[in-house]
């Protein structure tokens, strides 16, 4: 059950990231999986799973701006 919820959350984040960057979802998916935010989201101990999707997208945008 928890995996399904996380999978849906990740899908929503990828769609929001695609919209924010005006890119296709495949490119957004590649960006998402290459971030530390994704790694933190995959670890329940970080608590990031409890944050809103928009908050997480902003975290990703901040992270890729630093690179």
């Amino acid at each position: 059950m928890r995996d399904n919820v996380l999978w849906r959350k990740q899908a929503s984040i990828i769609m929001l990231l695609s919209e924010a960057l005006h890119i296709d979802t495949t490119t957004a998916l590649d960006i998402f999986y290459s971030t530390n935010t994704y790694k933190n989201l995959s670890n329940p101990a970080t608590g990031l799973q409890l944050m809103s999707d928009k908050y997480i997208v902003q975290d990703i945008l901040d992270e890729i701006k630093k690179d």
Side-chain angles (χ1 to χ4, degrees), residues 1-15 53:
M1 172 85 170
R2 195 178 314 177
D3 290 338
N4 274 342
V5 172
L6 182 58
W7 182 83
R8 278 180 269 176
K9 184 170 194 68
Q10 289 174 344
S12 174
I13 291 166
I14 291 163
M15 294 301 293
D53 297 350

Side-chain angles (χ1 to χ4, degrees), residues 2-59:
R2 195 178 314 177
D3 290 338
N4 274 342
V5 172
L6 182 58
W7 182 83
R8 278 180 269 176
K9 184 170 194 68
Q10 289 174 344
S12 174
I13 291 166
I14 291 163
M15 294 301 293
L16 289 170
L17 184 62
S18 172
E19 291 171 11
L21 295 174
H22 307 288
I23 57 176
D24 62 272
T25 53
T26 303
T27 305
L29 185 69
D30 290 339
I31 291 170
F32 174 71
Y33 283 126
S34 70
T35 63
N36 286 325
T37 302
Y38 163 71
K39 292 173 189 163
N40 291 333
L41 185 62
S42 300
N43 180 358
T46 65
L48 191 59
Q49 296 174 357
L50 303 174
M51 299 303 201
S52 74
D53 297 350
K54 289 182 180 182
Y55 175 90
I56 296 170
V57 169
Q58 187 58 54
D59 201 35

